[in-house]
Amino acid sequence: YEIRQDIEDAIIRLDPRKDENGQVFYRSLYKSRMACPVEEFTIRYVGPADIGQIKPHDVRAIITIDLALLKDAPQREWSELRQHDVVFLLTLDPPQQTFNPLTGTTNVWHYDREKPFLEQFPVKYVRGAEVIDVRDDRDNVFTGVGDSGVKLVGTKRFIKVHLDTAQYHSDIMNDVQCYSGFHLLMRRKPKENNFKAVLHSIRDLMNTQCVVPEWMHDVFLGYGDPDSA
């Protein structure tokens, strides 16, 4: 639910439209610090499946964004995306803005909070990705792991990511054409974006056999006589 709210907030702030040629543009590009238009999206590597699996072992991609229109603080935040941070790729189908040649004006349309969001700003696809590193156009690399002194220059950023391999396999098998190009890259606040790490920790705990001796279980759980240990 929180992820959906963040997606809706970012899209409303950017106020996307389609021009008469079907190209997506944004009326308020500078108003969202958590979402940035994708200039280019490229799948760079699809690894073979592990033995006994049908999904690829790894899928990597490069996302290109330009931070030129953002203020200094959002530029710095985008440049400091860390390894293992989770980001979201969005494909939109916004309303079309048309030009009336008789009046010389374009149609005026505003978001109405009383109406359902998806009726006004349809979202075609949402795909998650995990950051590997962030590079600038001089190939300086920032991962956030032991390289705090690295300063990225310019406004172009090339973000290398892992894609969800199960989702990628499902999309390819069902001929979902979402990887031909995404419109937006969205990030979340670090304190709110730790759900993947939490889920991995829970999974690891559930799959790990208890190493506490059986005779100590009751004491460890707070039962029995501590002196018996």
Side-chain angles (χ1 to χ4, degrees), residues 53-70:
Q53 298 288 330
I54 59 174
K55 67 179 183 179
H57 171 72
D58 189 17
V59 180
R60 301 178 190 175
I62 299 291
I63 306 165
T64 304
I65 60 175
D66 192 341
L67 308 176
L69 295 180
L70 299 180

Side-chain angles (χ1 to χ4, degrees), residues 18-190:
K18 278 192 297 190
D19 62 21
E20 295 181 349
N21 297 319
Q23 298 297 313
V24 175
F25 68 98
Y26 307 93
R27 296 180 63 195
S28 305
L29 183 57
Y30 60 91
K31 287 189 177 181
S32 176
R33 64 191 300 163
M34 308 305 289
C36 189
V38 174
E39 288 200 343
E40 185 177 1
F41 175 86
T42 308
I43 300 287
R44 287 296 180 89
Y45 173 76
V46 179
D50 292 333
I51 296 175
Q53 298 288 330
I54 59 174
K55 67 179 183 179
H57 171 72
D58 189 17
V59 180
R60 301 178 190 175
I62 299 291
I63 306 165
T64 304
I65 60 175
D66 192 341
L67 308 176
L69 295 180
L70 299 180
K71 296 181 180 179
D72 291 343
Q75 282 192 22
R76 184 171 60 253
E77 292 168 1
W78 278 104
S79 298
E80 293 178 353
L81 281 174
R82 296 176 176 272
Q83 190 177 70
H84 304 305
D85 281 353
V86 175
V87 293
F88 297 90
L89 290 153
L90 312 177
T91 301
L92 311 178
D93 186 21
Q96 187 163 6
Q97 179 168 284
T98 57
F99 177 76
N100 187 335
L102 298 178
T103 62
T105 60
T106 56
N107 65 323
V108 178
W109 176 86
H110 298 286
Y111 174 71
D112 186 351
R113 293 187 177 274
E114 300 299 322
K115 297 180 180 179
F117 172 82
L118 289 178
E119 290 183 3
Q120 302 176 77
F121 289 120
V123 179
K124 294 179 67 176
Y125 305 113
V126 178
R127 294 294 181 268
E130 182 179 337
V131 174
I132 300 174
D133 61 45
V134 183
R135 300 169 184 256
D136 60 20
D137 51 10
R138 298 184 185 178
D139 212 30
N140 297 313
V141 182
F142 180 84
T143 65
V145 181
D147 53 10
S148 57
V150 174
K151 297 294 183 182
L152 302 182
V153 298
T155 59
K156 288 278 189 178
R157 296 293 178 264
F158 304 89
I159 304 172
K160 185 187 296 185
V161 298
H162 293 293
L163 297 180
D164 184 328
T165 55
Q167 182 66 63
Y168 179 83
H169 175 74
S170 175
D171 289 337
I172 297 302
M173 291 296 99
N174 293 289
D175 197 29
V176 177
Q177 302 295 323
C178 62
Y179 300 100
S180 57
F182 292 97
H183 294 125
L184 284 179
L185 178 66
M186 192 194 83
R187 60 188 176 88
R188 302 181 71 220
K189 296 177 181 178

Side-chain angles (χ1 to χ4, degrees), residues 195-215:
F195 63 92
K196 185 174 186 291
V198 171
L199 290 177
H200 278 189
S201 297
I202 294 173
R203 183 193 64 185
D204 292 343
L205 287 172
M206 293 179 65
N207 294 332
T208 300
Q209 291 188 348
C210 182
V211 296
V212 179
E214 185 176 352
W215 55 267

